[in-house]
Amino acid sequence: MAPAESGVSPRRNPSQLSWMNLSSNLILAYQSFGVVYGDLSTSPLYVFPSTFIGKLHKHHNEDAVFGAFSLIFWTLTLIPLLKYLLVLLSADDNGEGGTFALYSLLCRHAKLSLLPNQQAADEELSAYKFGPSTDTVTSSPFRTFLEKHKRLRTALLLVVLFGAAMVIGDGVLTPALSVLSSLSGLQATEKNVTDGELLVLACVILVGLFALQHCGTHRVAFMFAPIVIIWLISIFFIGLYNIIRWNPKIIHAVSPLYIIKFFRVTGQDGWISLGGVLLSVTGTEAMFANLGHFTSVSIRVAFAVVVYPCLVVQYMGQAAFLSKNLGSIPNSFYDSVPDPVFWPVFVIATLAAIVGSQAVITTTFSIIKQCHALGCFPRIKVVHTSKHIYGQIYIPEINWILMILTLAMAIGFRDTTLIGNAYGIACMVVMFITTFFMALVIVVVWQKSCFLAALFLGTLWIIEGVYLSAALMKVTEGGWVPFVLTFIFMIAMYVWHYGTRRKYSFDLHNKVSLKWLLGLGPSLGIVRIPGIGLVYSELATGVPAIFSHFVTNLPAFHKVVVFVCVKSVPVPHVSPEERFLIGRVCPKPYRMYRCIVRYGYKDIQREDGDFENQLVQSIAEFIQMEASDLQSSASESQSNDGRMAVLSSQKSLSNSILTVSEVEEIDYADPTIQSSKSMTLQSLRSVYEDEYPQGQVRRRHVRFQLTASSGGMGSSVREELMDLIRAKEAGVAYIMGHSYVKSRKSSSWLKKMAIDIGYSFLRKNCRGPAVALNIPHISLIEVGMIYYV
């Protein structure tokens, strides 16, 4: 920040800036080894055995080994190097990568989103405007075609969910495959180690891996990058040693002519073996999916300068060793390691496998969080594992489900080849889907020609389709696992999405008309008691049915009413300065407001306990802004439920008409319980404290007061602000709908199964909306509602 006295920011010459950019990218490149490349760099443990075990056992000869290496080399070159580094890393969404980032870009540029309660104000978000402007370019026929057909938009969402479910399948298969492969070296050296003992050791490591997830990756993150770097350097020199020691002629196998010769000799058996070759690029998707934590330059530098050369030399060295030791194919990596360095390499391999598994598990947590933001996954507990590194999360329920499924894979199969078959299919399906969405981005977002997109899609789908078709031939040999896992997660996600949309449609069609509210008058025909009532709903406009249901059954409501809508928007992050939208629902005497809280699909609601104070400040700023508007008197009739203002929740109070005083008191209470002057709430609080003694805690009381400069404002504005302050002092209550969703009697049997069985089961077994929104239990009022959808 520039010094206040001079008002001039210090200038840096271009060489300084370029050096700073270079150093920061090099640091990020170093950090990326532990997060991005753990899975990809451990592939040499199992690629050659998976390729040759099967129908290719008839072709255990030097030419077949040379051909297999040539296939691996060109697979590494075409998919990670050309597709991901050159193309996909350029298609980020505000710095974020992955399938959801591509889908988010499409939703904003072609209006394909199926998220409810979207508003025009969302398009004013700074993150929303990322990428080429859609206003200056005429809409293409292809984009118009996508926007017209809702079924196509639904199909796109299903494809995204299918890819997400496959990524979750990766989170199950990767730890089992990596740990079992790394431990397989024990049997090569210690002949008396049985398969059962090896399995027990693998299960112990897997349980420990998942049990430590709650600590967060940041606690051991400083170890991750050095482990992977040491691993890559080790396999590089081992590969180089094997090339020189066994067969230097392997260098000639980089020629694609060896691939032609390989298929000419092996035929259909060689094509099926591609299911093992594709394991050399598993983990490539992490380069794109984890882009948000790094930069495209840092990931490109790390892969092109270190990872790619080390992997190529290692595969070349293994092939040189196998060309002279064909009997070592089942345990090719550890047999190719020189005896003096075997145990150090074994330890590093095991640690690298754990690092690779950790990265995939973390990615799985992130994917599930994004599915939840899209309204496609039940409410879950999301725990922050780092105060300093944004986005590192832990989901307890998902962690234990993944652990059980991973142990089931390890115990059920016990064979890395079968698990590798399943893992290869899952990874290639995700790549296939990513290529499809990238082609759509080329047309819709980058606004290039359809011919260029078709060329990109056709070329890569031909290459990836050959690998996928070969992998699908192994469905009966373990390849069915990702499809079963995907089917289960897909059903759960789509049923939840369908039920949520049906419930939202019911709310939308049954909302209370403003004419009815205006006819009741400012008192609403009931007693207005001191306090603030926060009415939670998914509606971004109108008054929810639970409000009318409440006031018609209870003849009293709070003096100040705020309709709160917490929603997701199709951007990765919403800055705190743009998070709150504040508006007025009825004329001023009604004291009714609306607050829309917006989150991106990678944002996480933090339990800071300061929401009420931020809300009061934002409403006060809105009242002040409205009063200072010269045309407010002319527009007041139109602003009852239309005008919304973006107000920062972190704005400095130096120019505010409210002052805040904080007092810390020692109390014996739950800090989440709000202070209140209501005798009823005071008695409830004392009962709560007796039932749930929390020990001595420090509670922070926040008091609002009008500043001295507020004397110049109008009497009506001052009165409204005083009502707001007095209502906050009286206490805050949270009103939510306790909904029961049922299908209509005329519904089809499929809809009845989805709503009455599937959606009902998920709602009963997920976290309640009040818990998910961090609402204090003592201040919660639930209104029972039955939804017939």
Side-chain angles (χ1 to χ4, degrees):
M1 182 176 290
E5 296 81 10
S6 64
V8 179
S9 60
R11 292 181 177 273
R12 292 187 177 95
N13 59 48
S15 61
Q16 278 184 308
L17 291 174
S18 61
W19 170 250
M20 289 176 63
N21 289 334
L22 177 62
S23 60
S24 63
N25 278 315
L26 288 176
I27 292 170
L28 288 173
Y30 167 78
Q31 294 172 343
S32 70
F33 286 107
V35 177
V36 176
Y37 297 111
D39 187 16
L40 182 63
S41 64
T42 54
S43 297
L45 290 169
Y46 44 77
V47 170
F48 275 107
S50 298
T51 302
F52 280 95
I53 292 176
K55 292 193 175 182
L56 210 61
H57 70 276
K58 307 173 187 174
H59 305 279
H60 284 191
N61 53 63
E62 183 175 313
D63 290 339
V65 172
F66 274 45
F69 165 70
S70 188
L71 278 167
I72 292 169
F73 171 77
W74 284 104
T75 303
L76 275 171
T77 302
L78 291 174
I79 295 180
L81 193 63
L82 298 182
K83 174 188 169 182
Y84 279 86
L85 257 68
L86 293 185
V87 182
L88 277 172
L89 289 180
S90 302
D92 64 296
D93 178 17
N94 292 275
E96 298 292 337
T99 309
F100 274 97
L102 298 178
Y103 180 68
S104 172
L105 281 172
L106 290 170
C107 287
R108 299 206 303 273
H109 286 79
K111 298 179 182 178
L112 302 176
S113 176
L114 292 175
L115 284 172
N117 56 38
Q118 298 300 292
Q119 299 169 283
D122 298 337
E123 299 181 14
E124 298 302 318
L125 290 169
S126 56
Y128 205 100
K129 299 174 183 177
F130 181 84
S133 174
T134 56
D135 299 329
T136 58
V137 181
T138 56
S139 179
S140 67
F142 181 74
R143 174 181 160 187
T144 307
F145 177 74
L146 287 175
E147 292 175 343
K148 275 185 179 180
H149 297 82
K150 187 179 179 181
R151 289 186 178 181
L152 285 177
R153 287 182 283 157
T154 305
L156 278 179
L157 177 64
L158 286 174
V159 173
V160 170
L161 295 182
F162 185 73
M166 279 290 179
V167 172
I168 297 171
D170 286 351
V172 173
L173 296 166
T174 300
L177 178 61
S178 298
V179 173
L180 282 174
S181 298
S182 64
L183 293 178
S184 63
L186 277 177
Q187 288 183 316
T189 304
E190 304 293 331
K191 304 295 183 182
N192 56 346
V193 176
T194 64
D195 290 341
E197 292 170 344
L198 196 70
L199 183 62
V200 170
L201 181 58
C203 290
V204 169
I205 293 175
L206 289 171
V207 170
L209 175 65
F210 284 99
L212 291 174
Q213 289 300 310
H214 72 280
C215 297
T217 57
H218 70 285
R219 298 189 186 276
V220 287
F222 71 96
M223 292 177 57
F224 282 9
I227 287 172
V228 176
I229 290 173
I230 293 171
W231 165 252
L232 286 169
I233 293 172
S234 301
I235 63 175
F236 175 83
F237 283 108
I238 291 169
L240 196 62
Y241 166 81
N242 285 324
I243 293 170
I244 299 170
R245 168 75 172 80
W246 295 104
N247 196 346
K249 293 181 180 178
I250 189 65
I251 296 174
H252 300 302
V254 297
S255 169
L257 294 176
Y258 281 83
I259 298 177
I260 299 172
K261 186 178 180 181
F262 174 81
F263 283 118
R264 187 182 299 159
V265 174
T266 59
Q268 185 178 356
D269 296 340
W271 166 61
I272 294 175
S273 72
L274 291 176
V277 173
L278 68 85
L279 292 177
S280 62
V281 292
T282 53
T284 302
E285 188 71 21
M287 288 196 295
F288 187 42
N290 292 302
L291 181 59
H293 296 287
F294 307 99
T295 62
S296 58
V297 174
S298 62
I299 290 179
R300 285 178 172 129
V301 168
F303 182 81
V305 176
V306 180
V307 179
Y308 180 75
C310 290
L311 288 178
V312 168
V313 172
Q314 165 56 212
Y315 285 120
M316 190 181 292
Q318 266 197 70
F321 172 80
L322 290 177
S323 66
K324 303 299 181 182
N325 301 272
L326 296 171
S328 296
I329 284 176
N331 198 26
S332 61
F333 176 78
Y334 283 111
D335 284 354
S336 69
V337 176
D339 291 338
V341 296
F342 175 84
W343 287 110
V345 170
F346 172 77
V347 172
I348 292 295
T350 304
L351 292 174
I354 294 172
V355 170
S357 302
Q358 173 65 53
V360 173
I361 294 168
T362 305
T363 303
T364 304
F365 291 156
S366 178
I367 285 288
I368 290 174
K369 168 65 182 69
Q370 293 172 28
C371 288
H372 170 65
L374 283 175
C376 299
F377 206 89
R379 290 179 293 269
I380 45 178
K381 181 180 181 181
V382 178
V383 179
H384 289 269
T385 59
S386 174
K387 293 181 180 179
H388 308 290
I389 304 174
Y390 188 85
Q392 287 196 359
I393 58 174
Y394 165 66
I395 304 175
E397 300 95 330
I398 300 302
N399 183 64
W400 303 124
I401 291 173
L402 287 178
M403 187 189 76
I404 293 169
L405 292 175
T406 301
L407 290 174
M409 294 298 106
I411 296 170
F413 287 112
R414 303 189 181 191
D415 186 353
T416 55
T417 302
L418 296 179
I419 300 175
N421 293 340
Y423 184 39
I425 290 177
C427 289
M428 191 49 65
V429 168
V430 173
M431 290 182 186
F432 211 71
I433 291 172
T434 303
T435 303
F436 169 68
F437 276 101
M438 186 63 229
L440 293 180
V441 166
I442 290 173
V443 176
V444 176
V445 181
W446 290 358
Q447 297 159 358
K448 303 297 182 182
S449 67
C450 291
F451 173 77
L452 184 64
L455 183 65
F456 173 83
L457 182 67
T459 303
L460 282 171
W461 264 13
I462 289 173
I463 296 170
E464 294 170 350
V466 172
Y467 287 103
L468 184 60
S469 62
L472 290 174
M473 295 298 294
K474 299 183 179 181
V475 167
T476 56
E477 302 171 16
W480 54 270
V481 171
F483 291 106
V484 171
L485 293 174
T486 298
F487 177 77
I488 294 171
F489 281 108
M490 273 282 292
I491 291 293
M493 288 191 287
Y494 190 74
V495 165
W496 181 263
H497 177 73
Y498 178 75
T500 303
R501 284 193 61 81
R502 293 292 93 203
K503 180 175 174 291
Y504 175 78
S505 298
F506 182 93
D507 276 332
L508 196 63
H509 290 98
N510 291 275
K511 63 183 180 181
V512 180
S513 67
L514 286 178
K515 187 181 291 186
W516 178 75
L517 278 179
L518 294 172
L520 295 176
S523 68
L524 301 179
I526 56 177
V527 178
R528 301 293 291 271
I529 59 175
I532 299 178
L534 304 182
V535 183
Y536 277 77
S537 167
E538 293 181 0
L539 292 178
T541 58
V543 178
I546 60 168
F547 180 71
S548 64
H549 191 64
F550 188 95
V551 298
T552 52
N553 286 277
L554 290 174
F557 208 78
H558 299 83
K559 180 72 173 178
V560 175
V561 179
V562 184
F563 296 101
V564 182
C565 171
V566 180
K567 70 173 190 176
S568 294
V569 289
V571 297
H573 301 288
V574 176
S575 65
E577 293 77 17
E578 299 177 302
R579 194 173 304 286
F580 284 85
L581 268 177
I582 304 292
R584 194 184 292 280
V585 175
C586 287
K588 290 183 180 181
Y590 285 73
R591 303 294 190 256
M592 299 176 73
Y593 310 93
R594 183 182 308 284
C595 174
I596 297 174
V597 189
R598 303 177 292 184
Y599 289 95
Y601 58 81
K602 296 202 77 173
D603 281 330
I604 300 160
Q605 301 176 35
R606 296 186 180 273
E607 301 179 13
D608 53 12
D610 203 34
F611 172 73
E612 294 175 9
N613 300 323
Q614 293 175 359
L615 180 63
V616 171
Q617 291 175 24
S618 298
I619 293 175
E621 289 173 21
F622 172 78
I623 294 170
Q624 182 187 21
M625 182 196 68
E626 191 181 47
S628 63
D629 189 350
L630 297 176
Q631 299 179 350
S632 59
S633 58
S635 63
E636 183 179 349
S637 61
Q638 300 174 358
S639 64
N640 290 342
D641 194 33
R643 181 183 178 187
M644 304 288 289
V646 179
L647 294 166
S648 170
S649 61
Q650 296 185 347
K651 185 177 179 180
S652 172
L653 292 175
S654 58
N655 298 322
S656 176
I657 54 174
L658 292 184
T659 59
V660 177
S661 58
E662 298 183 4
V663 180
E664 282 194 356
E665 296 179 0
I666 297 178
D667 201 354
Y668 292 85
D670 186 342
T672 60
I673 303 173
Q674 305 299 318
S675 61
S676 174
K677 292 183 178 178
S678 164
M679 294 303 296
T680 306
L681 286 180
Q682 288 280 10
S683 60
L684 281 173
R685 198 180 104 195
S686 64
V687 171
Y688 187 91
E689 291 169 8
D690 292 339
E691 253 185 82
Y692 305 101
Q694 299 289 331
Q696 192 181 58
V697 296
R698 289 187 175 273
R699 294 177 54 209
R700 186 173 66 115
H701 295 278
V702 178
R703 290 182 177 274
F704 293 95
Q705 292 178 331
L706 291 177
T707 61
S709 62
S710 63
M713 67 178 64
S715 58
S716 63
V717 176
R718 186 178 182 84
E719 182 185 355
E720 186 174 6
L721 288 170
M722 288 304 299
D723 284 345
L724 179 65
I725 293 172
R726 284 192 289 263
K728 175 64 174 68
E729 289 296 317
V732 179
Y734 298 78
I735 296 92
M736 299 192 73
H738 189 80
S739 55
Y740 299 89
V741 183
K742 297 181 179 180
S743 60
R744 294 193 182 98
K745 291 183 179 179
S746 58
S747 302
S748 64
W749 66 269
L750 187 61
K751 184 176 179 180
K752 287 181 178 179
M753 282 187 63
I755 297 296
D756 297 339
I757 299 176
Y759 187 70
S760 177
F761 173 80
L762 292 173
R763 278 184 64 85
K764 288 177 181 177
N765 290 277
C766 72
R767 297 173 70 81
V771 178
L773 293 170
N774 308 317
I775 292 175
H777 183 69
I778 192 65
S779 304
L780 176 65
I781 302 171
E782 292 190 303
V783 182
M785 288 283 292
I786 299 179
Y787 292 76
Y788 288 102
V789 299

